[in-house]
Amino acid sequence: MIAVVGLVLGVLAGVLTTPVVPTGVEPYLPIAVVAALDAVFGGLRAMLDRVFDDRVFVVSFLSNVTVAALIVFLGDELGVGSQLSTGVVVVLGIRIFSNAAAIRRHVFGA
Amino acid sequence: MQSAERPGAAGPEDAAPGVPAARDAAGPPPGDPDAAGTPRDPAPAGRPAESPERPDTAPDGGTDPPPSPDGVTDAPADGTAQDPGRAPSGAALLRAALWPPRATRSQLVVAALLFALGLGLAIQVRAAGSDDTALRGARPEDLVRILSDLDDRTARLDDEKRQLEAQRTELETSSDQAEEARRQNEERERRLGVLAGTVAAEGPGVTLRIGDPLGVVGADMLLDAVQELRAAGAEAIQINEVRIVAETAFTDRNGGVRLDDEPVSAPYVVRAIGRPQDLEPALNIPGGVVQSLENDSASVRVDRPERVTVDALRPTELPDYAQSSP
């Protein structure tokens, strides 16, 4: 419950305060957000699997975000940034889908 | 949950069916190693919620395979498959997780991370929604592409502008030329109209008044006068109310004079527009029109008024078949 409240508070803060993101970080923000979404779905599934551990969740969340941003950064340096970010988004999207399928099986039993 | 308190009540004698009830951090019930061994109870903890259709892929958040040595995860106990109905469903689990709120450490940590996620989500959605910031997050190569696109477009529009300007200049000059041509045409039309007798004319000139009490003046004498005036440069001539042009016919009929089949009678008033200094001497030369008329006992008077008006008109005759060709 407190986690959901945290998510809602974050969205509200982002909408209301309209913070300015530094220009250097800006290209990596969408990828980082998708990676964090992937981590959150994985955490939800782990909770339903009763294997949830906050330490693992924190580590996976941060490492997902960092690795995704790093991959995109590396792609930018190599000149294949847009292709690589597309690949990252595809991979993360597949993972999100599979996690969502597992969650669905848990919650709806189908 | 309803079985959570059973390990306490479960004696070693009824532990055999109650093994799946081992839950939470309970682990194997202490003191019944023989009873626990009956259903092949796994060593770390029996997890009744492990559904048999659990996929083999790693659940994230754990990011580790199920048979992890981690103390929290565990292998699915095959002994639990015999009693899945006792396990709370996923929906009930979700509900239990949502309410009542528990301010545990993990909840707070996850809340902090989700706060960051929501922040990033809102920022990104807002940034992607607005146009002007769309360029700020773009990559250098995208920016270069956009810039070159804009350059191309600018060049195209410049070309178009130049063409249109040239076209406008052309149209303006051509309309000027058309205006000039129209003006010249009107001017020519007026001149030709004066010559053809279809428009009235006014200007300096002379009037020749011929009195004919004896009826001696014939068409030939009027024609002589007209030809003398024309030779002297008269531009528009009229006799009485008849305009004299190139094809005017002078005929004698029944002792009278007809001009273009129009009977005219004395006194004949000839009005001619032209240079008066040329016209008057031409009429008065010795042996000329005036002298010969006076010899025939007609009275002749030549005036040089300020303005002579020639206002008798001939009808405009448009040709039926001939058309002008350039």
Side-chain angles (χ1 to χ4, degrees), chain B residues 67-87:
Chain B
S68 154
D70 197 346
V72 189
T73 62
D74 55 353
D78 49 357
T80 63
Q82 61 188 3
D83 199 2
R86 303 277 297 275

Side-chain angles (χ1 to χ4, degrees), chain B residues 177-255:
Chain B
Q177 287 173 351
E179 175 70 19
E180 175 65 18
R182 202 177 58 80
R183 212 178 49 73
Q184 287 182 359
N185 275 342
E186 282 182 357
E187 180 70 18
R188 183 177 302 169
E189 187 191 1
R190 269 198 304 277
R191 288 165 185 261
L192 292 176
V194 169
L195 287 181
T198 55
V199 298
E202 191 183 51
V206 296
T207 59
L208 174 67
R209 186 186 174 86
I210 305 171
D212 184 21
L214 302 179
V216 295
V217 175
D220 53 342
M221 293 178 185
L222 292 179
L223 184 57
D224 281 345
V226 166
Q227 282 178 341
E228 197 67 52
L229 287 169
R230 270 197 191 133
E235 290 166 351
I237 305 169
Q238 107 178 48
I239 298 178
N240 287 3
E241 294 308 317
V242 179
R243 184 74 169 262
I244 307 300
V245 294
E247 69 261 28
T248 303
F250 293 78
T251 48
D252 286 319
R253 173 96 33 107
N254 302 330

Side-chain angles (χ1 to χ4, degrees), chain A residues 1 33 42 45 50 56 58 76 95, chain B residues 49 60-62 88 98 109 139:
Chain A
M1 186 61 199
V33 166
R45 173 181 172 184
R50 292 158 189 269
V56 177
V58 169
D76 273 347
R95 284 168 54 101
Chain B
D60 201 31
L98 279 179
V109 168
R139 284 168 225 295

Side-chain angles (χ1 to χ4, degrees), chain A residues 1-4 6-7 9-15 17-21 23 26-30 32-33 36-58 60-62 64 72 76 79-82 85 95 99 102-103 105-109, chain B residues 1 23-24 47-51 53-64 70 72-74 87-91 93-94 97-124 126-127 133 136-142:
Chain A
M1 186 61 199
I2 292 180
V4 176
L7 178 65
L9 277 183
V11 171
L12 282 182
V15 169
T17 62
T18 67
V20 175
V21 183
T23 312
E26 206 149 350
Y28 311 117
L29 184 59
V33 166
L37 273 179
D38 172 52
V40 167
F41 272 89
L44 196 60
R45 173 181 172 184
M47 191 197 78
L48 290 172
D49 283 343
R50 292 158 189 269
V51 293
F52 182 78
D53 179 28
D54 56 346
R55 191 173 55 81
V56 177
F57 176 72
V58 169
S60 83
F61 187 99
L62 295 181
N64 259 11
V72 176
D76 273 347
V80 290
S82 56
S85 63
R95 284 168 54 101
N99 280 332
I103 293 167
R105 261 185 243 114
H106 275 297
V107 173
F108 300 112
Chain B
M1 321 295 168
R23 202 194 162 271
D24 287 339
R47 283 296 178 135
E50 292 299 337
S51 53
E53 78 272 16
R54 168 177 170 172
D56 287 338
T57 60
D60 201 31
T63 62
D64 39 11
D70 197 346
V72 189
T73 62
D74 55 353
S89 70
L93 206 58
L94 265 185
L98 279 179
W99 199 261
R102 297 180 303 272
T104 61
R105 185 177 64 98
S106 69
Q107 286 269 325
L108 291 178
V109 168
V110 173
L113 286 183
L114 285 183
F115 178 83
L117 170 62
L119 200 65
L121 206 61
I123 292 171
Q124 185 54 34
R126 200 168 44 79
T133 54
R136 287 209 298 148
R139 284 168 225 295
E141 56 262 39
D142 290 344

